[in-house]
């Protein structure tokens, strides 16, 4: 099964904790009700009056974290009511205390209203932003021609779906072609460059007769964009692949990007692919060197990853040993491999600070075509 697993902003917020912007956990929503119930139960159980009514003053502010204005108003009114019920022995607060709690309850309702409106606006903006970002890097289909595709994308900047990495797999008149690359910088500042390169790639797939011509087109696109950019120059690394009609042969051209890894069962072998100049540095003046043509045997797959994988480091500063890890993580089903590598990478290097992209390409069996 092929798909792109984009780790969305919701999952990013869940990883960073609710005190840093993630939705509060369920116990925060239960806390105001539990606090009211606890105070009431304690006063009923105790043989002597307890001076704990001040705890109820914390309930309206706690409600603001998770409840809307109406629910916050109900909880605030319940607090004032409990303070005045003789059964709970909390009916002797001073006028100043009661007025203070009432004021806090009213203020909490106002804050909850403002927060609700702000959250609604942020949700709308996030929905629009996610739709725009998904338009740039749409989900891969399960298959592109005779090639099965599985991808994983994790943007380094929290709250975004797209960063400085890019990949795509397209079928055209010259066969199935794929690209993976990494542009200068990461996060939202690199999205415009990613969109420009992917647009150029999708056009070139339909027009250009070979991978060298596609690389030249991408290089020229960056050179033109760089002329109008506030940066001195834009550049990107990339690896381009072209599959034969039966997907048993693949041709590869590298422009400064890590080479693919050839997988068969539990064996992982890094392909010796000569790298040419990165895109955007004048490649169009000379063109890339001749690429590499590889015969794919049944059961073999190609694993491509950005340098966010190979350059991740553990606490001691040791780079992630991608090829060695792939030998241990490879599975007969390539659909699970990207997820396995991502889980292993996070365990190896919990603080992943660069964009992480993986792509697994597998020739479909003749029976599945």
């Amino acid at each position: 099964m092929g798909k792109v697993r984009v780790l969305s902003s919701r999952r990013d917020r869940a990883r960073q904790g609710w005190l840093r912007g993630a939705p509060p956990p369920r116990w925060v929503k239960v806390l105001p009700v539990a606090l009211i119930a606890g105070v009431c139960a304690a006063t009923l159980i105790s043989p002597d009056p307890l001076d704990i009514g001040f705890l109820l003053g914390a309930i309206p502010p706690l409600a603001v974290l998770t409840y809307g204005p109406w629910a916050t108003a109900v909880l605030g009114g319940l607090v004032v009511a409990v303070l005045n019920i003789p059964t709970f022995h909390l009916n002797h607060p001073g006028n100043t205390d009661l007025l203070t709690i009432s004021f806090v309850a009213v203020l909490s309702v106002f804050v909850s209203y403002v927060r609700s409106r702000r959250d609604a606006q942020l949700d709308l903006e996030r929905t629009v932003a996610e739709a725009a970002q998904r338009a740039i890097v749409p989900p891969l289909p399960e298959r592109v021609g005779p090639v099965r595709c599985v991808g994983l994308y994790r943007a380094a900047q929290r709250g975004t779906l797209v960063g400085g990495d890019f990949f795509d797999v397209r079928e055209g008149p010259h066969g199935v072609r794929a690209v993976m690359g990494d542009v200068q910088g990461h996060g939202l500042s690199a999205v415009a460059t990613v969109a420009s390169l992917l647009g150029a790639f999708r056009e070139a797939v339909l027009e250009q007769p070979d991978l060298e011509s596609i690389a030249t087109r991408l290089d020229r696109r960056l050179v033109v964009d760089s002329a109008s950019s506030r940066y001195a120059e834009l550049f990107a690394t990339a690896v381009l692949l072209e599959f034969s009609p039966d997907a048993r042969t693949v041709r590869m051209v590298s422009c400064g990007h890590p080479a693919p890894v050839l997988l068969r069962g539990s064996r992982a072998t890094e392909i010796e692919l000569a790298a040419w100049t990165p895109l955007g540095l004048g490649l169009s003046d000379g063109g890339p060197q001749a690429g590499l043509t590889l015969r794919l045997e049944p059961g073999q797959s190609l694993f491509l990853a950005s340098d966010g994988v190979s350059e991740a480091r553990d606490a001691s500063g040791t780079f992630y040993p991608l090829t060695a890890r792939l030998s241990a993580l490879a599975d007969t089903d390539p659909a699970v491999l990207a997820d396995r590598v991502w889980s292993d990478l996070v365990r190896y290097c919990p603080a992943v600070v660069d964009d992480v992209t993986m792509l697994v390409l597998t020739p479909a069996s003749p029976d599945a075509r």
Side-chain angles (χ1 to χ4, degrees):
M1 180 178 183
K3 61 184 73 174
V4 178
R5 293 170 173 82
V6 180
L7 304 186
S8 67
S9 58
R10 182 177 301 174
R11 293 176 62 181
D12 282 338
R13 293 195 301 274
R15 283 196 300 269
Q16 65 180 326
W18 69 281
L19 293 178
R20 296 184 178 181
R26 292 182 178 179
W27 63 265
V28 176
K29 190 170 186 177
V30 176
L31 187 58
V33 178
L35 188 55
I36 292 179
V39 169
C40 293
T43 56
L44 291 176
I45 295 173
S46 176
D48 300 317
L50 297 177
D51 188 15
I52 58 174
F54 68 93
L55 294 175
L56 299 177
I59 291 175
L62 287 174
V64 171
L65 295 175
T66 54
Y67 289 98
W70 286 109
T72 302
V74 169
L75 288 171
L78 185 59
V79 166
V80 175
V82 168
L83 286 172
N84 288 280
I85 296 176
T87 305
F88 299 120
H89 306 290
L90 298 172
N91 57 329
H92 297 294
N95 290 334
T96 300
D97 294 336
L98 186 58
L99 289 174
T100 299
I101 292 178
S102 299
F103 175 77
V104 170
V106 173
L107 183 61
S108 296
V109 172
F110 173 74
V111 173
S112 178
Y113 172 77
V114 173
R115 180 193 59 80
S116 299
R117 295 293 298 271
R118 182 203 62 187
D119 288 350
Q121 180 64 28
L122 289 177
D123 287 341
L124 176 60
E125 293 177 357
R126 186 178 297 115
T127 300
V128 173
E130 290 186 358
Q133 292 179 76
R134 289 187 187 279
I136 297 174
V137 184
L140 286 177
E142 180 177 341
R143 280 179 49 182
V144 179
V147 181
R148 297 173 60 197
C149 312
V150 176
L152 182 146
Y153 199 127
R154 193 269 186 184
Q157 185 169 334
R158 297 186 187 277
T160 62
L161 302 180
V162 180
D165 289 354
F166 62 95
F167 63 84
D168 201 2
V169 183
R170 297 276 165 164
E171 186 174 19
H174 303 285
V176 175
R177 289 165 168 175
V179 64
M180 172 175 281
D182 183 3
V183 309
Q184 174 192 22
H186 58 262
L188 292 176
S189 61
V191 171
T193 306
V194 167
S196 180
L197 282 173
L198 285 176
F201 171 76
R202 290 160 185 166
E203 290 183 1
V205 164
L206 301 175
E207 301 173 357
Q208 301 303 320
D210 51 50
L211 294 182
E212 288 83 358
S213 299
I214 296 178
T216 301
R217 172 72 67 87
L218 298 182
D219 178 76
R220 185 163 55 245
R221 177 73 270 166
L222 275 186
V223 170
V224 172
D225 290 347
S226 183
S228 59
S229 172
R230 61 193 176 105
Y231 299 104
E233 60 183 17
L234 296 174
F235 66 90
T237 63
V239 59
L240 296 159
L241 297 88
E242 180 180 270
F243 290 87
S244 61
D246 61 358
R248 290 306 174 192
T249 302
V250 61
R251 190 160 183 276
M252 295 169 279
V253 168
S254 174
C255 298
H257 197 79
V261 178
L262 181 64
L263 302 175
R264 183 171 186 179
S266 60
R267 293 185 59 186
T269 306
E270 185 173 353
I271 298 172
E272 296 182 0
L273 179 61
W276 188 244
T277 309
L279 302 172
L281 302 182
L283 176 65
S284 57
D285 296 336
Q289 294 175 334
L292 173 68
T293 300
L294 183 68
R295 176 72 179 176
L296 295 177
E297 302 297 332
Q300 290 183 330
S301 299
L302 292 173
F303 181 90
L304 294 82
S306 65
D307 57 11
V309 178
S310 57
E311 294 183 1
R313 302 174 185 241
D314 62 7
S316 65
T318 304
F319 289 111
Y320 181 74
L322 176 59
T323 304
R325 295 283 185 163
L326 282 174
S327 299
L329 298 171
D331 193 272
T332 53
D333 183 6
V336 303
L337 181 57
D339 284 335
R340 285 188 173 187
V341 174
W342 168 250
S343 299
D344 185 62
L345 181 67
V346 171
R347 287 192 297 268
Y348 185 89
C349 177
V352 179
V353 296
D354 198 1
D355 300 319
V356 169
T357 308
M358 305 177 206
L359 185 60
V360 185
L361 302 175
T362 308
S365 62
D367 295 337
R369 297 177 190 173

